[in-house]
Amino acid sequence: MTPLRAPLARYAERLHRAAGDTHHVASPLGAWLLLALTGPAATGDARAALTEALGADPDDAAAEARALLAAPHPMVAAATALWERTPAAELAAWRAALPEDTERGALPDQATLDAWARERTGGLIDRFPVDVTPDTLLVLANALATRVSWADPFDTAPGTELGAGSTWSGRLSRVLRTPPFGHRCWVASTDRAGDVAVHAVPAGDDGAGMLVVSVAAAPEVPAAKVLAAAQELASAAALVPDSMPGRRSLFDLPLGETPLWTMREKPVNTFAPDGREERATAVLPCWSARSRHDLTAPGFGFDAAARALGELLGLTGPGFDAAQSAVARFGRYGFEAAAVTAFGMVAGLPPEGVARVAELRFGHPYAVVAVTTDPAGGPWHALPVYSAWVADPDELPADEAG
């Protein structure tokens, strides 16, 4: 196991448990990565709370997050951004420790944040998950997006193939059936959810790819336990190519109908040494989900992140918002998913005062100088390239007056 897999599994269980058994999709990784990036700012009680939420030392978690974001997976587009109303010197060290490719800039308006979410997820998410208010100090966000095609697309089958006991079989006319090759189907024994039906479908080429694993348990097993079992099975199946972790022999299971499978025997010609051959197929529906998750509860750690950054700024108990928007679609030919996770910190409005506002007017001849800049300080840095004296201005062209 990599150092990240165990703490991420715990965070995922917490997030899905909060979502309950309602239809939903989430990216625990997106939330964990964002929280990890706040870790180096924490000291004292805030650091202890972050350690608990992350399941790892905050500095170690931040290093893991930076490593992942510095070299994103070919099938997962990743972006990180930090926007600040006024960059504070007290946050300079924390800011410098963020991933090198983090987008930075002045705090934008809501429409611009919504556009960022759309652009970074290929249009899958059209609204940024948190709102910017007049007292928002900063927003830290990340976006993850995936669009993959199955190496071997599904066949189709009548909805009734889901079984007479399925409430979906009567309302779905067509569902997906696994093709003869390329998909893995098995019955697995798990500690968390008992015997489960498992389907795994790969996407991508022989290099970096993606494996999408579906796990069904008996109807009475709580969703949180099935999700936890699925996390373990998916990780194990991805670690070893073509493996079927926890696989039970079909000959150890009774013949007949259950809500999870139909078990039957038929005569075949086989080269199996003991003359017993096992075959498994699967039928499952297409699905899509769109969810928004409130991450402000203490267990998700963003309250500690707000305290950590607030202490650097000399703020006591700063307000904050943290949320994730996620979407996914699973179909005959592929899978697409995206998540935008955002953390915003706010402070109370400052005391009332007075502002003096000037409107500058260039109503008589004036000078203009154009210079080049080079952040590396090269020979072009601050070099005046063009200059002008404006004494005879032009009328605004008619086609630009609208």
Side-chain angles (χ1 to χ4, degrees):
M1 273 194 156
T2 66
L4 173 57
R5 195 167 295 120
L8 181 58
R10 289 193 292 272
Y11 198 91
E13 185 167 358
R14 194 177 305 137
L15 179 52
H16 285 294
R17 191 177 296 278
D21 59 1
T22 59
H23 186 69
H24 73 274
V25 61
S27 174
L29 175 62
W32 191 95
L33 287 174
L34 194 70
L35 184 64
L37 293 180
T38 68
T43 59
D45 291 343
R47 186 177 183 86
L50 275 175
T51 300
E52 171 64 23
L54 291 166
D57 175 80
D59 288 333
D60 292 343
E64 289 277 355
R66 286 193 297 269
L68 287 174
L69 294 168
H73 190 281
M75 292 194 173
V76 183
T80 307
L82 172 66
W83 299 282
E84 299 175 87
R85 190 170 297 281
T86 303
E90 295 87 347
L91 298 182
W94 169 73
R95 192 183 299 117
L98 292 173
E100 183 178 349
D101 291 338
T102 299
E103 302 171 46
R104 304 159 197 264
L107 192 65
D109 59 17
Q110 198 69 45
T112 302
L113 290 175
D114 292 345
W116 185 87
R118 285 192 297 273
E119 291 166 5
R120 298 304 178 273
T121 63
L124 291 175
I125 292 177
D126 56 10
R127 195 177 193 288
F128 199 73
V130 302
D131 294 329
V132 173
T133 64
D135 54 347
T136 300
L137 298 177
L138 62 85
V139 172
L140 180 67
N142 68 23
L144 304 176
T146 293
R147 275 195 173 96
V148 296
S149 297
W150 308 134
D152 297 285
F154 285 91
D155 296 329
T156 64
T160 53
E161 293 296 308
L162 291 174
S166 170
T167 57
W168 299 339
S169 64
R171 69 179 179 89
L172 297 176
S173 59
R174 304 295 293 177
V175 294
L176 306 176
R177 182 189 295 282
T178 51
F181 304 101
H183 295 214
R184 283 179 259 168
C185 304
W186 73 100
V187 175
S189 174
T190 71
D191 293 334
R192 304 295 293 271
D195 287 345
V196 296
V198 188
H199 168 262
V201 53
D205 51 29
D206 293 334
M210 179 168 284
L211 187 69
V212 181
V213 179
S214 303
V215 176
E220 65 272 13
V221 180
K225 291 187 176 182
V226 184
L227 283 158
Q231 289 266 345
E232 295 174 1
L233 288 169
S235 294
L239 281 172
V240 180
D242 299 322
S243 66
M244 298 182 183
R247 179 178 175 272
R248 292 198 63 185
S249 171
L250 301 185
F251 287 97
D252 292 337
L253 299 169
L255 296 174
E257 295 272 350
T258 77
L260 291 176
W261 52 73
T262 297
M263 200 70 64
R264 59 191 177 90
E265 288 185 358
K266 67 176 185 177
V268 297
N269 296 320
T270 179
F271 290 107
D274 60 358
R276 302 201 308 176
E277 184 175 295
E278 299 189 26
R279 304 175 184 178
T281 60
V283 288
L284 58 166
C286 298
W287 62 268
S288 65
R290 184 177 297 271
S291 304
R292 183 183 185 278
H293 303 281
D294 182 351
L295 302 177
T296 57
F300 298 124
F302 287 97
D303 58 330
R307 291 201 308 273
L309 294 176
E311 288 169 3
L312 292 177
L313 294 171
L315 301 175
T316 301
F320 74 99
D321 193 9
Q324 180 184 94
S325 293
V327 62
R329 299 186 185 95
F330 182 104
R332 182 179 182 184
Y333 296 104
F335 176 73
E336 61 182 17
V340 175
T341 311
F343 163 67
M345 197 171 76
V346 302
L349 294 175
E352 291 187 0
V354 62
R356 183 170 294 184
V357 180
E359 182 179 63
L360 306 181
R361 296 189 175 89
F362 293 81
H364 56 269
Y366 60 95
V368 177
V369 178
V371 300
T372 53
T373 61
D374 180 0
W380 283 80
H381 188 54
L383 184 68
V385 179
Y386 306 104
S387 56
W389 178 253
V390 181
D392 186 14
D394 291 336
E395 179 61 42
L396 178 70
D399 61 355
E400 297 178 15

